[in-house]
Amino acid sequence: DDYYAPEGYMPDILPPLNDSISSRNIIATPMRIGFLGLGMIGRGVVDNLLRSGHEVTVWNRTTSKCYEFTKDGALKGSTPAEVVQLCDITFSCVSDPAALKDLVFANCGVLQGISPGKGYVDMSTVDVETIKDVQEAVVSKGGRFLEAPVIGNRMLARAGQLVVLAAGDKALYDDCYSCFQAISKHKFHLGEVGSATKMKLVLTLIFGSALSGLAECLALSTKLGLDNTEVMKIISHSSISSIFIHEKGIDMIKNRIAEPNCKLNVMQKDMKLAINLSDTVDQPLPVCAAVNELFKKAKAKGYSEDDIASLYRAADL
Ligand code: NA7
């Protein structure tokens, strides 16, 4: 709940407080659920799956991260293939296209565990080609596949407030009902595999450009001698106000970047994927291409593993 009451928040734009997962009347599916990838998003998701009564078997490349969940009742698989074999539906959430290809196609990877009827749901944000390759491989072994990238960050995952953008096997989507109820406030089924990835990447452009606009706004206001707290207060009373702008503005002012909600390199990866996608249809993205350069500059300055609010550090010369 602390997410909903950050310091100085304007109460009139608070999301409803009664939307906690305990108020959702979740009846957990009896299906055995697997989860691969206990990063910032994955950890929040697994926590909510367990809290809502799902039986969850976890695996993570760095094995020590599994302990946090096995002590709370999760089972542990020794490889991705084993998790898929033990479970009816296996979810994954890993860094990027290379990580997903490793996870699926490597020795003892997801694909080796797939047999007819198995469900596999990937929540990572990758490119359309990669997600279609994964779908094809899973379906060719008789498995069912759903892509389900999410909009959100560590806090939102922890609060069960992700937005799920799904596409692919509709029956599998329906089978995931109680899981999605536990992890998200809204979910969408967008059609054929690839559509959800496209939607996620298109929306990334808004987050990226809003963030860089905010970083430059605060950098300039500092140089002009304005009070940045005042700037944020005025923004919160204007029509540009949003939870995202408010939180990132406060993080920038207070330099709260060391405990990331979303790592800068993860968002830059999404910007890059969105720009690559625009090439496939010759859509110019001059503004977002410049935004991507600012992200790259922040990476070069050493902020890759910090919160995206560190973009301010790249703008603030
Ligand atoms: P994090 O917190 O950086 O977590 C990344 C996860 O991906 C973490 O569990 C990693 O394992 C795992 N990973 C990375 N490379 C591999 C390979 N090669 N094989 C298996 N697992 C791997 O990212 P987020 O949770 O914020 O984001 C995850 C996705 O959701 C990403 O696509 C976002 O855009 C949306 P590790 O613990 O390092 O061993």
Side-chain angles (χ1 to χ4, degrees):
D1 282 351
D2 54 347
Y3 174 72
Y4 295 106
E7 209 177 328
Y9 214 114
M10 304 313 296
D12 52 337
I13 55 167
L14 283 175
L17 278 167
N18 59 1
D19 190 29
S20 67
I21 76 158
S22 50
S23 69
R24 292 181 196 167
N25 300 321
I26 299 169
I27 299 171
T29 174
M31 282 185 272
R32 288 159 304 177
I33 303 300
F35 204 96
L36 314 170
L38 301 172
M40 293 198 308
I41 302 277
R43 286 210 291 279
V45 167
V46 170
D47 192 35
N48 285 320
L49 290 173
L50 288 170
R51 279 171 53 206
S52 53
H54 294 86
E55 182 194 304
V56 187
T57 303
V58 295
W59 175 89
N60 190 63
R61 180 179 63 173
T62 307
T63 314
S64 55
K65 290 186 190 167
C66 295
Y67 174 67
E68 181 182 338
F69 301 99
T70 49
K71 75 175 170 41
D72 287 341
L75 306 167
K76 184 176 157 305
S78 56
T79 63
E82 188 186 64
V83 173
V84 175
Q85 278 157 4
L86 291 171
C87 297
D88 302 300
I89 302 175
T90 301
F91 291 79
S92 60
C93 188
V94 293
S95 322
D96 55 21
L100 182 62
K101 283 180 204 155
D102 263 3
L103 185 75
V104 174
F105 297 110
N107 195 24
C108 298
V110 167
L111 203 55
Q112 283 184 11
I114 297 285
S115 55
K118 291 282 183 192
Y120 177 42
V121 182
D122 180 58
M123 302 174 69
S124 321
T125 300
V126 296
D127 57 289
V128 174
E129 201 184 350
T130 300
I131 207 70
K132 285 190 172 172
D133 285 350
V134 170
Q135 176 201 26
E136 202 181 297
V138 169
V139 170
S140 73
K141 290 191 78 181
R144 307 185 291 154
F145 183 72
L146 192 72
E147 62 168 341
V150 292
I151 303 175
N153 57 29
R154 179 175 62 85
M155 289 281 225
L156 292 168
R158 209 179 68 188
Q161 298 283 329
L162 296 169
V163 176
V164 173
L165 306 174
D169 193 305
K170 182 63 169 59
L172 178 54
Y173 176 79
D174 293 338
D175 285 346
C176 293
Y177 182 79
S178 67
C179 297
F180 288 153
Q181 237 189 330
I183 69 171
S184 66
K185 60 174 178 177
H186 293 295
K187 62 183 190 313
F188 298 86
H189 188 278
L190 298 166
E192 299 290 309
V193 168
S195 319
T197 291
K198 287 179 191 165
M199 184 65 79
K200 167 70 195 270
L201 294 177
V202 164
L203 296 177
T204 292
L205 298 178
I206 305 251
F207 283 93
S209 23
L211 190 73
S212 61
L214 182 63
E216 291 189 351
C217 159
L218 294 178
L220 177 61
S221 73
T222 304
K223 290 230 167 95
L224 296 175
L226 298 175
D227 175 356
N228 275 340
T229 308
E230 196 108 282
V231 172
M232 289 313 302
K233 200 191 281 176
I234 292 167
I235 286 177
S236 75
H237 286 289
S238 78
S239 58
I240 195 73
S241 171
S242 71
I243 295 169
F244 180 73
I245 293 282
H246 179 85
E247 288 206 337
K248 290 303 119 189
I250 302 292
D251 286 347
M252 286 176 189
I253 292 172
K254 297 195 168 180
N255 199 25
R256 279 195 310 224
I257 57 172
E259 278 184 57
N261 261 323
C262 175
K263 288 180 211 156
L264 186 121
N265 62 0
V266 170
M267 191 154 182
Q268 194 269 324
K269 176 261 306 180
D270 292 353
M271 290 298 294
K272 181 177 63 187
L273 293 175
I275 289 167
N276 291 346
L277 188 59
S278 77
D279 283 349
T280 65
V281 289
D282 286 336
Q283 170 61 44
L285 297 178
V287 173
C288 293
V291 167
N292 187 40
E293 294 304 312
L294 191 61
F295 272 83
K296 280 158 65 180
K297 188 167 149 197
K299 278 173 72 177
K301 284 182 141 194
Y303 294 110
S304 282
E305 299 292 320
D306 292 313
D307 188 82
I308 48 175
S310 58
L311 201 66
Y312 173 60
R313 299 281 136 197
D316 182 22
L317 281 178

